[in-house]
Amino acid sequence: MEQLTQFAPFLLMFVVIYFFMIRPQQKKAKNEKEFESTLKVGDKIITKSGLHGKVAELADTTVIIETMAGKLKMERSAISMEMSAALNKKQ
């Protein structure tokens, strides 16, 4: 019984870390994957580096973005979910 009371603070600390750090990160990653899979040609997007453009072509893991400077090929994961959603709400 004494051993259980010794490990109780560590167990409680792990539970708190899980619910406040690990679980929200997993939910965010799931939402980003969902966002990447729902992209379609013609969507206006902003990349995580700040480039604005419109989706011209889609591949399995890459996307070709049409910008004012031309076309760029990028990874789907480089597209910012939050910024693109905010951009599409404005219009």
Side-chain angles (χ1 to χ4, degrees), residues 35-48:
F35 170 76
E36 290 172 20
S37 66
T38 60
L39 280 174
K40 57 190 178 299
V41 174
D43 283 351
K44 292 184 179 180
I45 54 100
I46 301 175
T47 65
K48 290 180 181 176

Side-chain angles (χ1 to χ4, degrees), residues 59-73:
D60 289 338
T61 59
T62 60
V63 61
I64 296 181
I65 301 170
E66 192 175 318
T67 65
M68 292 178 74
K71 291 185 178 183
L72 301 169
K73 184 175 186 177

Side-chain angles (χ1 to χ4, degrees), residues 1 4-5 12-13 16 19 23-24 33-34 36 39 42 46-47 50-51 53-54 62 64 67 69 75 79 81 85 87:
M1 190 67 173
L4 183 63
T5 57
L12 181 64
M13 198 166 46
V16 169
F19 279 106
R23 193 157 180 247
K33 287 243 185 243
E34 234 175 71
E36 290 172 20
L39 280 174
I46 301 175
T47 65
L51 291 171
K54 187 164 70 172
T62 60
I64 296 181
T67 65
E75 293 293 317
I79 298 171
M81 179 177 67
L87 176 70

